[in-house]
Amino acid sequence: MGAISKARSQAADAGKFVADWLEHRAGIVTMMEHFLYEPVPKRGAWIYTLGSATLFLITLQFLTGILLLFYYVPSTDHAWNSIYYIMNEAYFGTLIRGIHYWSANFLLAVIGLHMAQVFFSGGYKAPRELNWVVGVVLLLLVVIIAFTGYALRWDQDGVWATVVGMKIGSYSPFVGAYTIQFLMGGDTIGPATVSRFFAIHVWLLPAALAPFIGIHLYLLRRHGVFGDEMEYRERLAKLQERQRLEEYEQYEDDGEPYVGRRDRADRD
Amino acid sequence: MAELQKDPMTRGDFLGFGILGTIVGALLTIPPAAFVLGPVIDVNVRGESDVPDDWYRVGPIGEIPAKEPKVYVVEFPVNQVYSEEQVIEEGVETPGATIDNAVWTSWREEIGENGEAIHRIPSFVESGVQPPLTQEQIDEVTANLNVLSSSCAHLGCPVRWIVKEDGGEFLCPCHGGIYDINGGYVGGPPPRGMYSFTFEVREDANIYVKHEFDIGGDKGPQQPYVI
Amino acid sequence: MPIGDLQVPIIGKNVVIAALVQTHILFAAFIIGAVLIAATSEYLGMVTKEPRYERFARNLARFVVLLFASGAALAITFVLALVTLFPVFFSYLQNIFFWVFLVEAFMFLGQIIIVYAWYNVWDKLAYRKTLHVTFGFIAGFFGLMAMTMIDAVASYMLTPAEAPVTNVARTFLNQTMVPLNMHRFVGNFSYAGFLIAGWGAWKYLRSTREDDRDYYDWMGHFGLLWGFGFLILQPVIGYGYLKGIRESSPEAFNTIMLGERAWVFNLLAIYLAIMSIAATAYFVHKLRFAVKPMPTLRNMAVGALGFTALFTVLNVIPADADIFPGVLSFAGGENTDIPLGGMYPWKYIGLIGLMIVGFFVVALYLKATAAGFHWGRASRWSQYALLICAPTVIITMMTMGYTRESARRVDYQPEGGYLIYNCVTLQQNVVNENCPAVVENEDGTSTNTINGARVGGGE
Amino acid sequence: MYAPATGKQKPVEQEVITEENVFERPDETIAFFPKQVLYDLFVSTLLLLACCALSYVSPAPLTEPADTATVTYVPRPEWFFFFYEQMLMFFPGYALISFGAVVVPTVFVVLLFAVPWLDRGPRASSTRRPFATVIGVLVVVVVLLNMLMAVSRIINFPGQ
């Protein structure tokens, strides 16, 4: 046997050994098999990539967000300078912040499309109602994260958008004044506003987002992907066929010629 | 895997757990809630604003022209979080955080009977101001001066002055809110006229302002102070 | 003026243009609305397999095809009249919107070809119904695109963007382009719907055979659903449209809302009152023939009729309601701090009330329609209600056209008003420096790129 | 969960399809791993490339440092709040501003949460449930039109 084939067989045995070792201890192989080889609908596969694109963009946001944390300083007089440093001095700083900014915009667009796709294809019907509710929670979290993130750069756009946002918030009946005082850390924009928005944007909401994504995926795998009615064309055809046959039998015995169901209502 | 061991639980145990749980839960949530809601408590319960309750210099009245408003920048020190005075005194010597506001100042304008505008600029101001003002000079200035916040009453965008052929008007570029030179509501989405500061004029012919709006008898809702 | 200054002897240039364009719009609006209504009805016929949808779609398509030619002829004469009577203005507009007019012409061409083909292959394509229905919707789409292009020009005339013409985004998407396009899109459906209802009612009253009565009764119902359903959307879109006008052409806004053209909107309020009361009364009456009787809901519908009447009364009161001093003029008269911004509260409540009650009645009626009706038994006066709606909607369409065009009158001051607001006057002189087609030359003066006239008042 | 894709499941012909189990299993399925993951990766790489290219072509914006005392700056919302800002215009006056700014969006969000319980019809395809589809299309159209109106107001307003 040549050296190469011997090396190959030894490598194969080593691989098998490692797999068995892991399988026995952690059951990892069966779990992977269970997750990876799950049957999913075939016809509309391209439309369902919207959901995974959203997941990809959120992970992108988490990664680039953590990288930005290495340089960002959340205080009124350093925030802008630290971002200026990222954009101009840090290696690939423009790239990292660019990805964070642009994938945020794409994320909101893709979330909109994903929600529209699920709504118009009826993906929220029983037994998947909870998944829809979790989806809407995710949408709200992402929108609030986007709003708080916009203020962190503490430039003209960011500050003034926050001022207008706070003024809009102050119009909510009963709780308006309290919520914006909580968000601004007092009764005017100041250093507390930056640190509060920083805390909310960087940890509070993402920490809420992660488990909900987990639930969303768990419910998805629990009930299987409901694509669109086009995935069930043949089964629906068989169902209607069987129902029509049943209907014919019902009329044959009372001897009258069969007339369409709707017109029966008009005739009597 | 051992099967689940389900010992029977009496109603008493259940109630006991319930009450104990709620008490411990409450105890565990009060400190974090107070910790996070600190500022809301300060502003509403203890009535302290972030900006110390003091008079802040805006600018001299001499430079305000007769027919159009002049914008001054007033700097309010902000006592928030790490920029509180006491904190800075004990700790590292850093400049406290400040927030500056644009203030539109103008002389009140009235429409005379024949329809053209009368500008209430005091005579002695027009002919150059000698600093030590007498009391009735101060009263005359205070009665005829508009000291307006530049934040639009609708959604808080910065209001600007646009010159038109007969005078001009305050315009909010965000949604088209229009105010007259006295800050009164003319048109557009704002729910009321522009907010005016509580101000006073001192002998040194300077305007001093507090970090609060003077809503006085004026109707319309007083929204929390944002900038 | 490059060529002889043509003057039409007795009736004047403006009346010629007005007559031609009003009639053209009456035809064109019906055609755009009717093509889409016919296509939807054909689709409904395909889905519900009921013969009446098919019959209606075919008759309506035939009617559209007949009307098309005369509508188009009016359009051509209108353009010719514009070119001859207002040469400077039209070449000015053509310079700015050349491509828009070109696209509009091709969309118009596309619509003609498809509408005629669509009608003539009705039997040939019967076996491929879905394809035939999609053709109908494509024809409708072409019609809408033609209208969108014209709306770009029309909205530009009332609210021109202060940007140079090279800035295509601002010129095409000026302040009132989107709301005007929406207002006309919804208006076409409502207009066509009311006319169909009127036509159905007229034929119902004259029909003798049993199945004809059923069919025309259903046709009146179907037309009114379109007509009133879309009518209740109009106040919101109209509000957005007027906000756009006020932001970019305040004097024009004052002329139609506060100035001497304000009576037009009182007229509109009266038409709105007639149409909404007639429609609600028709709905309440028809609910009696629902297959699935809904007694409680029907009583609520009667309540809705009462509310509609109340809200229409609120609407009809003129804004300066000091005719009944103290009673109706809002507390404190002039300097009341109006809670609804600049809006008169009762007019605002009237419009919004009409909409909400309208939504409720239409939703209720749709619920009954889902279960079906016993056709052919509608009372005579319910058909008279539809018959009143048809001419009212025609007059509303004409009044609305009159308001938009006369908004640029701006109480006649620069030579009788503007053709393009703040830019080209009725005597076709360019009066404003920041008009798009004006060129700043070195020595500070600016010349109009079209007729070389010096800008700053007609010489 | 679906019956496992491996051979043991009941032969499909005998399965009597009833109203309940018609949506039990799609006609044709593919394994998640090779096929669907490939499609997802394709779309994700496209998005990643777009983000990277855009981050150099038009870098993330950073205007001059904040100055709360400016009177020349015009604040504009992010693109995804355009429709919200334009929608506020339809609620004028101090009586309606809080209504339009807060109450209407909250009602919209509550209805969004309740969608599965508002539309309980058995059939999922949008042509089979006209009421839900029409309202869905209406909402989408209103949002898009409001966005367009906001864009036209922003580019045309003397804000520059």
Side-chain angles (χ1 to χ4, degrees):
Chain A
M1 272 222 291
I4 302 155
S5 56
K6 189 135 66 66
R8 267 160 52 109
S9 65
Q10 275 169 349
D13 296 347
K16 222 184 267 80
F17 170 75
V18 165
D20 293 347
W21 188 84
L22 276 175
E23 168 58 14
H24 178 59
R25 281 159 186 70
I28 192 107
V29 175
T30 42
M31 204 166 69
M32 288 295 282
E33 204 168 71
H34 169 69
F35 280 125
L36 288 184
Y37 296 112
E38 192 229 351
V40 286
K42 174 175 188 310
R43 280 196 201 106
W46 277 107
I47 313 166
Y48 315 137
T49 55
L50 276 178
S52 27
T54 323
L55 182 66
F56 171 72
L57 288 173
I58 290 185
T59 35
L60 213 55
Q61 290 297 68
F62 269 88
L63 297 178
T64 44
I66 293 165
L67 290 178
L68 290 176
L69 271 181
F70 278 85
Y71 288 101
Y72 179 71
V73 175
S75 89
T76 40
D77 34 28
H78 298 306
W80 194 86
N81 306 359
S82 62
I83 291 184
Y84 186 83
Y85 178 84
I86 292 173
M87 292 300 278
N88 299 49
E89 309 300 330
Y91 298 137
F92 295 108
T94 358
L95 178 67
I96 301 293
R97 185 161 176 261
I99 294 180
H100 199 66
Y101 173 74
W102 281 107
S103 98
N105 290 339
F106 284 130
L107 174 59
L108 279 152
V110 169
I111 276 190
L113 293 174
H114 178 52
M115 190 164 84
Q117 186 260 332
V118 169
F119 177 83
F120 286 111
S121 71
Y124 53 79
K125 296 263 186 234
R128 295 175 177 83
E129 296 101 332
L130 263 190
N131 220 359
W132 169 268
V133 168
V134 169
V136 173
V137 167
L138 286 174
L139 170 76
L140 294 179
L141 286 176
V142 167
V143 166
I144 303 169
I145 291 180
F147 174 68
T148 43
Y150 196 60
L152 289 186
R153 34 178 141 139
W154 217 249
D155 63 351
Q156 280 286 54
D157 296 343
V159 166
W160 277 102
T162 319
V163 162
V164 172
M166 290 296 120
K167 196 70 190 271
I168 294 180
S170 75
Y171 277 114
S172 38
F174 321 123
V175 290
Y178 308 121
T179 32
I180 69 158
Q181 273 150 17
F182 164 71
L183 284 173
M184 288 195 298
D187 62 1
T188 178
I189 300 266
T193 321
V194 184
S195 28
R196 280 177 180 257
F197 271 62
F198 179 68
I200 292 169
H201 178 75
V202 169
W203 192 251
L204 179 71
L205 293 182
L209 198 71
F212 274 107
I213 294 178
I215 301 166
H216 206 52
L217 290 179
Y218 165 71
L219 289 174
L220 175 72
R221 293 314 268 270
R222 183 178 155 74
H223 297 298
V225 181
F226 179 88
D228 193 297
E229 282 220 343
M230 64 168 171
E231 303 287 350
Y232 306 85
R233 255 202 308 261
E234 282 141 29
R235 291 179 65 91
L236 279 164
K238 282 192 201 121
L239 173 68
Q240 265 127 22
E241 196 48 44
R242 196 173 54 74
Q243 279 165 345
R244 201 164 296 113
L245 288 176
E246 265 168 24
E247 209 178 294
Y248 289 165
E249 285 120 23
Q250 187 205 347
Y251 291 116
E252 253 117 37
D253 41 35
D254 58 22
E256 285 172 32
Y258 173 65
V259 173
R261 198 176 338 164
R262 273 191 76 83
D263 292 346
R264 266 173 59 85
D266 301 336
R267 209 184 44 203
D268 45 26
Chain B
M1 268 272 284
E3 326 76 29
L4 298 175
Q5 185 88 20
K6 288 207 175 78
D7 294 345
M9 190 164 91
T10 66
R11 235 157 58 80
D13 301 344
F14 176 74
L15 282 181
F17 280 136
I19 294 160
L20 195 66
T22 23
I23 294 166
V24 167
L27 287 181
L28 285 181
T29 50
I30 289 169
F35 179 75
V36 160
L37 294 174
V40 183
I41 296 166
D42 288 349
V43 169
N44 296 314
V45 171
R46 297 178 34 202
E48 288 160 12
S49 155
D50 287 346
V51 178
D53 186 5
D54 197 349
W55 292 97
Y56 299 96
R57 185 180 171 286
V58 173
I61 55 171
E63 286 157 24
I64 305 173
K67 288 213 172 10
E68 53 180 39
K70 178 167 186 7
V71 62
Y72 283 112
V73 175
V74 63
E75 205 179 68
F76 293 119
V78 175
N79 282 355
Q80 267 187 0
V81 206
Y82 52 79
S83 74
E84 297 235 346
E85 279 136 353
Q86 310 88 325
V87 167
I88 293 172
E89 269 136 30
E90 268 95 30
V92 173
E93 198 52 51
T94 57
T98 64
I99 183 163
D100 31 26
N101 283 16
V103 176
W104 282 105
T105 50
S106 65
W107 295 108
R108 205 156 47 79
E109 181 194 281
E110 277 153 11
I111 308 297
E113 329 71 45
N114 44 33
E116 40 75 35
I118 312 158
H119 296 281
R120 284 268 178 263
I121 178 165
S123 51
F124 71 91
V125 172
E126 261 168 327
S127 59
V129 175
Q130 294 76 16
L133 298 180
T134 62
Q135 186 48 36
E136 84 284 337
Q137 275 178 333
I138 290 174
D139 296 343
E140 187 193 357
V141 165
T142 323
N144 295 324
L145 190 62
N146 303 321
V147 180
L148 305 164
S149 149
S150 74
S151 128
C152 171
H154 179 227
L155 291 182
C157 295
V159 174
R160 57 183 57 188
W161 174 258
I162 22 165
V163 182
K164 296 181 94 166
E165 50 300 344
D166 54 357
E169 59 190 14
F170 282 119
L171 166 76
C172 165
C174 283
H175 308 98
I178 300 166
Y179 309 93
D180 60 22
I181 191 165
N182 303 331
Y185 169 77
V186 168
R192 46 158 289 154
M194 283 160 78
Y195 291 107
S196 61
F197 281 102
T198 28
F199 71 96
E200 73 173 9
V201 180
R202 295 190 183 150
E203 301 79 20
D204 61 0
N206 279 330
I207 308 167
Y208 289 83
V209 151
K210 271 205 165 132
H211 183 261
E212 64 185 32
F213 286 158
D214 157 26
I215 42 173
D218 180 46
K219 291 179 300 309
Q222 151 61 19
Q223 290 306 329
Y225 190 76
V226 174
I227 283 238
Chain C
M1 295 278 276
I3 324 125
D5 187 353
L6 286 178
Q7 291 303 346
V8 176
I10 305 124
I11 47 175
K13 292 199 275 193
N14 301 346
V15 170
V16 169
I17 300 289
L20 286 171
V21 83
Q22 289 273 20
T23 33
H24 165 64
I25 287 182
L26 291 184
F27 282 99
F30 179 76
I31 288 163
I32 295 177
V35 165
L36 281 165
I37 292 177
T40 342
S41 140
E42 197 184 357
Y43 170 72
L44 286 174
M46 191 174 76
V47 165
T48 58
K49 303 215 174 19
E50 277 174 28
R52 58 170 81 99
Y53 284 109
E54 187 63 21
R55 173 179 173 190
F56 170 69
R58 192 158 194 166
N59 289 349
L60 190 57
R62 186 161 52 79
F63 196 57
V64 159
V65 157
L66 290 178
L67 278 181
F68 210 105
S70 38
L74 279 167
I76 310 292
T77 11
F78 163 54
V79 169
L80 288 181
L82 259 184
V83 167
T84 42
L85 296 178
F86 293 92
V88 171
F89 160 69
F90 194 69
S91 64
Y92 189 97
L93 215 55
Q94 198 65 341
N95 273 2
I96 300 171
F97 285 106
F98 171 72
W99 291 107
V100 168
F101 279 116
L102 199 70
V103 166
E104 192 268 335
F106 280 107
M107 289 293 151
F108 183 70
L109 187 68
Q111 192 188 12
I112 297 177
I113 297 166
I114 295 189
V115 163
Y116 280 97
W118 175 54
Y119 178 66
N120 293 323
V121 297
W122 205 289
D123 298 327
K124 208 176 295 171
L125 274 186
Y127 70 97
R128 294 188 57 183
K129 210 46 162 168
T130 31
L131 182 68
H132 190 262
V133 166
T134 21
F135 266 137
F137 280 110
I138 292 169
F141 174 73
F142 273 112
L144 287 178
M145 278 310 115
M147 187 183 78
T148 319
M149 294 306 148
I150 286 300
D151 279 349
V153 177
S155 63
Y156 187 83
M157 281 169 69
L158 184 57
T159 58
E162 282 103 9
V165 165
T166 46
N167 184 339
V168 170
R170 287 189 64 176
T171 316
F172 187 81
L173 203 63
N174 55 55
Q175 285 279 41
T176 51
M177 164 54 183
V178 171
L180 172 67
N181 205 20
M182 268 316 301
H183 203 59
R184 291 185 69 174
F185 171 74
V186 168
N188 288 345
F189 282 122
S190 171
Y191 171 68
F194 274 115
L195 288 186
I196 292 164
W199 176 253
W202 168 257
K203 295 288 278 185
Y204 173 80
L205 292 172
R206 292 170 56 79
S207 62
T208 49
R209 297 207 347 255
E210 177 57 22
D211 57 357
D212 268 359
R213 281 167 63 90
D214 294 2
Y215 171 66
Y216 286 116
D217 185 7
W218 169 82
M219 184 169 160
H221 138 90
F222 191 63
L224 195 70
L225 260 182
W226 283 95
F228 187 65
F230 279 93
L231 181 71
I232 42 180
L233 297 176
Q234 289 287 50
V236 181
I237 305 167
Y239 177 78
Y241 182 38
L242 278 173
K243 266 249 188 227
I245 297 175
R246 188 167 59 77
E247 238 160 62
S248 66
S249 335
E251 286 89 13
F253 175 81
N254 292 342
T255 346
I256 44 175
M257 285 308 273
L258 316 166
E260 87 293 1
R261 285 283 187 289
W263 53 269
V264 172
F265 282 93
N266 290 348
L267 261 182
L268 172 72
I270 295 162
Y271 304 144
L272 212 57
I274 300 167
M275 283 192 281
S276 35
I277 292 177
T280 328
Y282 179 88
F283 287 147
V284 166
H285 167 68
K286 286 296 283 180
L287 279 176
R288 208 167 344 112
F289 304 100
V291 162
K292 198 161 56 123
M294 302 181 281
T296 47
L297 289 179
R298 192 168 174 282
N299 304 342
M300 287 164 81
V302 174
L305 180 60
F307 269 107
T308 322
L310 164 76
F311 287 127
T312 43
V313 164
L314 273 181
N315 263 335
V316 167
I317 314 163
D320 40 20
D322 41 24
I323 313 159
F324 327 98
V327 170
L328 279 177
S329 71
F330 200 65
E334 189 42 49
N335 47 31
T336 47
D337 187 3
I338 298 171
L340 295 171
M343 298 284 292
Y344 283 98
W346 61 80
K347 262 209 186 306
Y348 192 86
I349 298 161
L351 277 176
I352 296 300
L354 212 58
M355 268 182 61
I356 292 167
V357 167
F359 278 132
F360 167 70
V361 172
V362 169
L364 185 69
Y365 192 69
L366 283 174
K367 204 159 122 65
T369 324
F373 284 102
H374 299 299
W375 300 110
R377 297 201 195 96
S379 70
R380 303 183 65 78
W381 64 266
S382 71
Q383 302 304 315
Y384 293 147
L386 295 184
L387 276 176
I388 304 157
C389 285
T392 333
V393 88
I394 293 176
I395 312 165
T396 326
M397 205 61 155
M398 295 173 76
T399 334
M400 282 287 104
Y402 170 75
T403 349
R404 191 188 60 185
E405 295 316 315
S406 67
R408 295 193 307 276
R409 275 283 188 208
V410 186
D411 48 52
Y412 304 94
Q413 25 84 330
E415 293 146 2
Y418 290 109
L419 283 171
I420 295 184
Y421 180 77
N422 218 354
C423 204
V424 173
T425 66
L426 215 56
Q427 307 310 328
Q428 302 177 70
N429 298 308
V430 181
V431 294
N432 189 318
E433 282 67 31
N434 57 22
C435 265
V438 173
V439 164
E440 295 293 329
N441 8 41
E442 314 70 30
D443 57 12
T445 65
S446 49
T447 47
N448 167 3
T449 48
I450 296 153
N451 64 3
R454 203 186 55 73
V455 165
E459 79 283 2
Chain D
M1 263 305 290
Y2 297 143
T6 50
K8 320 202 269 326
Q9 84 223 42
K10 204 159 43 149
V12 175
E13 293 71 28
Q14 267 71 33
E15 195 206 6
V16 174
I17 299 171
T18 62
E19 286 281 341
E20 289 72 32
N21 73 359
V22 67
F23 295 128
E24 206 57 54
R25 182 183 314 105
D27 296 339
E28 290 166 279
T29 58
I30 48 173
F32 177 70
F33 174 66
K35 261 312 194 46
Q36 182 68 37
V37 166
L38 265 181
Y39 293 152
D40 297 347
L41 279 185
F42 182 74
V43 170
S44 306
T45 11
L46 267 187
L47 281 169
L48 183 63
L49 290 180
C51 286
C52 297
L54 280 168
S55 67
Y56 281 108
V57 163
S58 89
L62 184 64
T63 44
E64 74 278 4
D67 161 20
T68 46
T70 163
V71 279
T72 51
Y73 175 71
V74 182
R76 292 291 176 212
E78 268 289 287
W79 66 272
F80 42 82
F81 285 139
F82 274 171
F83 80 92
Y84 176 66
E85 196 196 26
Q86 189 65 27
M87 183 270 295
L88 287 183
M89 164 189 99
F90 288 98
F91 301 95
Y94 66 80
L96 289 180
I97 281 186
S98 49
F99 180 74
V102 179
V103 171
V104 167
T106 345
V107 163
F108 178 72
V109 164
V110 166
L111 286 179
L112 206 58
F113 272 110
V115 156
W117 290 277
L118 291 172
D119 166 30
R120 296 182 212 249
R123 294 298 297 275
S125 113
S126 38
T127 42
R128 285 285 174 276
R129 41 192 185 95
F131 195 68
T133 327
V134 161
I135 295 204
V137 166
L138 245 173
V139 165
V140 168
V141 161
V142 161
V143 164
L144 291 179
L145 281 177
N146 266 327
M147 256 185 194
L148 211 54
M149 272 170 79
V151 163
S152 124
R153 175 168 53 77
I154 284 167
I155 57 176
N156 274 312
F157 207 79
Q160 297 81 353

